[in-house]
PDB file of all heavy atoms in Angstrom:
ATOM      1  N   ASN A1016      36.423  25.719 -15.648  1.00 98.00           N
ATOM      2  CA  ASN A1016      36.641  24.326 -15.277  1.00 98.00           C
ATOM      3  C   ASN A1016      37.423  23.675 -16.428  1.00 98.00           C
ATOM      4  O   ASN A1016      37.781  22.439 -16.451  1.00 98.00           O
ATOM      5  CB  ASN A1016      35.228  23.651 -15.364  1.00 98.00           C
ATOM      6  CG  ASN A1016      34.278  24.154 -14.366  1.00 98.00           C
ATOM      7  OD1 ASN A1016      33.374  24.883 -14.526  1.00 98.00           O
ATOM      8  ND2 ASN A1016      34.678  23.938 -13.010  1.00 98.00           N
ATOM      9  N   LEU A1037      50.478  30.802  -8.936  1.00 98.00           N
ATOM     10  CA  LEU A1037      49.515  29.768  -8.899  1.00 98.00           C
ATOM     11  C   LEU A1037      49.580  29.163  -7.543  1.00 98.00           C
ATOM     12  O   LEU A1037      50.602  28.960  -6.967  1.00 98.00           O
ATOM     13  CB  LEU A1037      50.035  28.552  -9.858  1.00 98.00           C
ATOM     14  CG  LEU A1037      49.295  27.172  -9.691  1.00 98.00           C
ATOM     15  CD1 LEU A1037      47.829  27.307 -10.107  1.00 98.00           C
ATOM     16  CD2 LEU A1037      50.054  26.202 -10.562  1.00 98.00           C
ATOM     17  N   LYS A1053      46.842  35.048  -0.259  1.00 98.00           N
ATOM     18  CA  LYS A1053      47.260  36.416   0.102  1.00 98.00           C
ATOM     19  C   LYS A1053      48.705  36.645  -0.331  1.00 98.00           C
ATOM     20  O   LYS A1053      49.020  37.759  -0.905  1.00 98.00           O
ATOM     21  CB  LYS A1053      47.120  36.537   1.595  1.00 98.00           C
ATOM     22  CG  LYS A1053      47.291  37.997   2.237  1.00 98.00           C
ATOM     23  CD  LYS A1053      46.635  38.029   3.609  1.00 98.00           C
ATOM     24  CE  LYS A1053      46.926  39.219   4.211  1.00 98.00           C
ATOM     25  NZ  LYS A1053      48.209  39.433   4.909  1.00 98.00           N
ATOM     26  N   CYS A1059      52.299  38.678  -7.088  1.00 98.00           N
ATOM     27  CA  CYS A1059      52.071  38.694  -8.476  1.00 98.00           C
ATOM     28  C   CYS A1059      50.917  39.582  -8.979  1.00 98.00           C
ATOM     29  O   CYS A1059      50.015  39.901  -8.042  1.00 98.00           O
ATOM     30  CB  CYS A1059      51.625  37.235  -8.958  1.00 98.00           C
ATOM     31  SG  CYS A1059      52.784  35.932  -8.382  1.00 98.00           S
ATOM     32  N   GLN A1072      46.910  10.733  -6.526  1.00 96.00           N
ATOM     33  CA  GLN A1072      47.858  10.891  -5.402  1.00 96.00           C
ATOM     34  C   GLN A1072      47.247  10.137  -4.191  1.00 96.00           C
ATOM     35  O   GLN A1072      47.775  10.208  -3.148  1.00 96.00           O
ATOM     36  CB  GLN A1072      48.069  12.242  -5.110  1.00 96.00           C
ATOM     37  CG  GLN A1072      47.022  13.188  -4.465  1.00 96.00           C
ATOM     38  CD  GLN A1072      47.466  14.525  -4.319  1.00 96.00           C
ATOM     39  OE1 GLN A1072      47.655  15.291  -5.310  1.00 96.00           O
ATOM     40  NE2 GLN A1072      47.530  14.953  -3.145  1.00 96.00           N
ATOM     41  N   ASN A1076      43.124   2.572  -0.452  1.00 91.00           N
ATOM     42  CA  ASN A1076      42.329   2.568   0.772  1.00 91.00           C
ATOM     43  C   ASN A1076      42.308   3.900   1.498  1.00 91.00           C
ATOM     44  O   ASN A1076      42.189   4.127   2.755  1.00 91.00           O
ATOM     45  CB  ASN A1076      42.889   1.503   1.790  1.00 91.00           C
ATOM     46  CG  ASN A1076      42.897   0.098   1.188  1.00 91.00           C
ATOM     47  OD1 ASN A1076      41.757  -0.210   0.636  1.00 91.00           O
ATOM     48  ND2 ASN A1076      43.875  -0.659   1.303  1.00 91.00           N
ATOM     49  N   ILE A1107      38.253  14.114 -15.572  1.00 96.00           N
ATOM     50  CA  ILE A1107      38.163  13.794 -17.025  1.00 96.00           C
ATOM     51  C   ILE A1107      39.034  14.864 -17.775  1.00 96.00           C
ATOM     52  O   ILE A1107      39.683  14.542 -18.644  1.00 96.00           O
ATOM     53  CB  ILE A1107      36.804  13.667 -17.528  1.00 96.00           C
ATOM     54  CG1 ILE A1107      36.176  12.373 -16.968  1.00 96.00           C
ATOM     55  CG2 ILE A1107      36.689  13.628 -18.985  1.00 96.00           C
ATOM     56  CD1 ILE A1107      34.781  11.948 -17.412  1.00 96.00           C
ATOM     57  N   VAL A1150      51.134  18.434 -10.241  1.00 98.00           N
ATOM     58  CA  VAL A1150      51.694  19.743 -10.140  1.00 98.00           C
ATOM     59  C   VAL A1150      52.416  20.133 -11.470  1.00 98.00           C
ATOM     60  O   VAL A1150      52.309  21.244 -11.941  1.00 98.00           O
ATOM     61  CB  VAL A1150      52.638  19.869  -8.876  1.00 98.00           C
ATOM     62  CG1 VAL A1150      53.355  21.088  -8.836  1.00 98.00           C
ATOM     63  CG2 VAL A1150      51.713  19.676  -7.642  1.00 98.00           C
ATOM     64  N   ASP A1160      54.644  32.353 -12.955  1.00 98.00           N
ATOM     65  CA  ASP A1160      56.129  32.778 -12.628  1.00 98.00           C
ATOM     66  C   ASP A1160      56.384  32.348 -11.290  1.00 98.00           C
ATOM     67  O   ASP A1160      57.496  32.126 -10.927  1.00 98.00           O
ATOM     68  CB  ASP A1160      56.090  34.280 -12.569  1.00 98.00           C
ATOM     69  CG  ASP A1160      55.658  34.797 -14.029  1.00 98.00           C
ATOM     70  OD1 ASP A1160      56.567  34.800 -14.910  1.00 98.00           O
ATOM     71  OD2 ASP A1160      54.432  35.277 -14.102  1.00 98.00           O
ATOM     72  N   GLN A1166      54.396  24.985   4.040  1.00 98.00           N
ATOM     73  CA  GLN A1166      55.397  24.282   4.735  1.00 98.00           C
ATOM     74  C   GLN A1166      54.790  23.122   5.439  1.00 98.00           C
ATOM     75  O   GLN A1166      55.423  22.183   5.881  1.00 98.00           O
ATOM     76  CB  GLN A1166      56.298  25.265   5.646  1.00 98.00           C
ATOM     77  CG  GLN A1166      57.641  24.669   5.871  1.00 98.00           C
ATOM     78  CD  GLN A1166      58.520  25.813   5.906  1.00 98.00           C
ATOM     79  OE1 GLN A1166      58.950  26.379   4.851  1.00 98.00           O
ATOM     80  NE2 GLN A1166      58.820  26.237   7.083  1.00 98.00           N
ATOM     81  N   CYS A1191      55.499  28.851   2.225  1.00 98.00           N
ATOM     82  CA  CYS A1191      54.696  29.732   3.119  1.00 98.00           C
ATOM     83  C   CYS A1191      54.596  29.035   4.491  1.00 98.00           C
ATOM     84  O   CYS A1191      54.339  27.722   4.496  1.00 98.00           O
ATOM     85  CB  CYS A1191      53.266  29.937   2.550  1.00 98.00           C
ATOM     86  SG  CYS A1191      53.368  30.687   0.804  1.00 98.00           S
ATOM     87  N   GLY A1199      47.119  25.733  18.551  1.00 97.00           N
ATOM     88  CA  GLY A1199      48.299  25.152  18.044  1.00 97.00           C
ATOM     89  C   GLY A1199      48.062  24.094  16.894  1.00 97.00           C
ATOM     90  O   GLY A1199      48.895  23.802  16.202  1.00 97.00           O
ATOM     91  N   SER A1204      42.392  20.588   5.866  1.00 96.00           N
ATOM     92  CA  SER A1204      41.045  20.218   5.324  1.00 96.00           C
ATOM     93  C   SER A1204      40.590  18.923   5.979  1.00 96.00           C
ATOM     94  O   SER A1204      39.296  18.759   6.206  1.00 96.00           O
ATOM     95  CB  SER A1204      41.057  19.965   3.786  1.00 96.00           C
ATOM     96  OG  SER A1204      41.519  20.996   3.210  1.00 96.00           O
ATOM     97  N   ARG A1205      41.409  17.964   6.442  1.00 96.00           N
ATOM     98  CA  ARG A1205      41.075  16.826   7.023  1.00 96.00           C
ATOM     99  C   ARG A1205      40.568  16.922   8.503  1.00 96.00           C
ATOM    100  O   ARG A1205      40.222  15.974   9.054  1.00 96.00           O
ATOM    101  CB  ARG A1205      42.221  15.722   6.964  1.00 96.00           C
ATOM    102  CG  ARG A1205      42.430  15.207   5.491  1.00 96.00           C
ATOM    103  CD  ARG A1205      43.336  14.088   5.394  1.00 96.00           C
ATOM    104  NE  ARG A1205      43.415  13.377   4.171  1.00 96.00           N
ATOM    105  CZ  ARG A1205      44.196  13.607   3.226  1.00 96.00           C
ATOM    106  NH1 ARG A1205      45.180  14.611   3.270  1.00 96.00           N
ATOM    107  NH2 ARG A1205      44.117  13.012   1.977  1.00 96.00           N
ATOM    108  N   THR A1236      70.692  18.861  21.759  1.00 97.00           N
ATOM    109  CA  THR A1236      70.731  18.737  20.299  1.00 97.00           C
ATOM    110  C   THR A1236      70.627  17.276  19.723  1.00 97.00           C
ATOM    111  O   THR A1236      70.352  16.995  18.615  1.00 97.00           O
ATOM    112  CB  THR A1236      71.889  19.360  19.728  1.00 97.00           C
ATOM    113  OG1 THR A1236      73.120  18.702  20.288  1.00 97.00           O
ATOM    114  CG2 THR A1236      71.993  20.840  19.897  1.00 97.00           C
ATOM    115  N   ASP A1239      67.909  11.549  19.406  1.00 97.00           N
ATOM    116  CA  ASP A1239      67.245  10.465  20.177  1.00 97.00           C
ATOM    117  C   ASP A1239      66.777  10.925  21.464  1.00 97.00           C
ATOM    118  O   ASP A1239      65.583  10.516  21.904  1.00 97.00           O
ATOM    119  CB  ASP A1239      68.403   9.461  20.590  1.00 97.00           C
ATOM    120  CG  ASP A1239      68.734   8.586  19.306  1.00 97.00           C
ATOM    121  OD1 ASP A1239      68.082   8.600  18.309  1.00 97.00           O
ATOM    122  OD2 ASP A1239      69.923   7.950  19.333  1.00 97.00           O
ATOM    123  N   LEU A1249      53.026  12.345  22.669  1.00 86.00           N
ATOM    124  CA  LEU A1249      52.383  11.730  21.561  1.00 86.00           C
ATOM    125  C   LEU A1249      51.571  10.504  21.879  1.00 86.00           C
ATOM    126  O   LEU A1249      50.739  10.038  21.250  1.00 86.00           O
ATOM    127  CB  LEU A1249      53.455  11.369  20.544  1.00 86.00           C
ATOM    128  CG  LEU A1249      53.761  12.540  19.488  1.00 86.00           C
ATOM    129  CD1 LEU A1249      54.929  12.051  18.645  1.00 86.00           C
ATOM    130  CD2 LEU A1249      52.579  12.833  18.764  1.00 86.00           C
ATOM    131  N   MET A1255      51.006   7.090  16.512  1.00 94.00           N
ATOM    132  CA  MET A1255      52.237   7.734  15.864  1.00 94.00           C
ATOM    133  C   MET A1255      52.649   6.898  14.557  1.00 94.00           C
ATOM    134  O   MET A1255      52.871   5.726  14.688  1.00 94.00           O
ATOM    135  CB  MET A1255      53.309   7.953  16.776  1.00 94.00           C
ATOM    136  CG  MET A1255      54.273   8.829  16.066  1.00 94.00           C
ATOM    137  SD  MET A1255      55.840   9.129  17.130  1.00 94.00           S
ATOM    138  CE  MET A1255      56.696   7.574  16.846  1.00 94.00           C
ATOM    139  N   ASN A1262      67.539  17.011   7.865  1.00 97.00           N
ATOM    140  CA  ASN A1262      68.155  18.215   7.360  1.00 97.00           C
ATOM    141  C   ASN A1262      67.321  18.806   6.264  1.00 97.00           C
ATOM    142  O   ASN A1262      67.068  18.225   5.222  1.00 97.00           O
ATOM    143  CB  ASN A1262      69.604  18.020   6.792  1.00 97.00           C
ATOM    144  CG  ASN A1262      70.310  19.283   6.427  1.00 97.00           C
ATOM    145  OD1 ASN A1262      69.723  20.057   5.698  1.00 97.00           O
ATOM    146  ND2 ASN A1262      71.546  19.290   6.785  1.00 97.00           N
ATOM    147  N   LEU A1277      64.340  19.901  10.081  1.00 98.00           N
ATOM    148  CA  LEU A1277      62.947  19.655  10.036  1.00 98.00           C
ATOM    149  C   LEU A1277      62.549  18.559  10.908  1.00 98.00           C
ATOM    150  O   LEU A1277      63.229  17.518  10.964  1.00 98.00           O
ATOM    151  CB  LEU A1277      62.527  19.199   8.570  1.00 98.00           C
ATOM    152  CG  LEU A1277      61.119  18.583   8.490  1.00 98.00           C
ATOM    153  CD1 LEU A1277      60.132  19.804   8.380  1.00 98.00           C
ATOM    154  CD2 LEU A1277      61.049  17.898   7.162  1.00 98.00           C
TER     155      LEU A1277
END
Side-chain angles (χ1 to χ4, degrees):
N1016 305 109
L1037 171 66
K1053 191 162 171 271
C1059 307
Q1072 72 185 66
N1076 298 317
I1107 291 188
V1150 170
D1160 301 285
Q1166 210 141 281
C1191 302
S1204 304
R1205 289 189 168 97
T1236 57
D1239 285 342
L1249 274 175
M1255 189 183 81
N1262 181 318
L1277 168 75

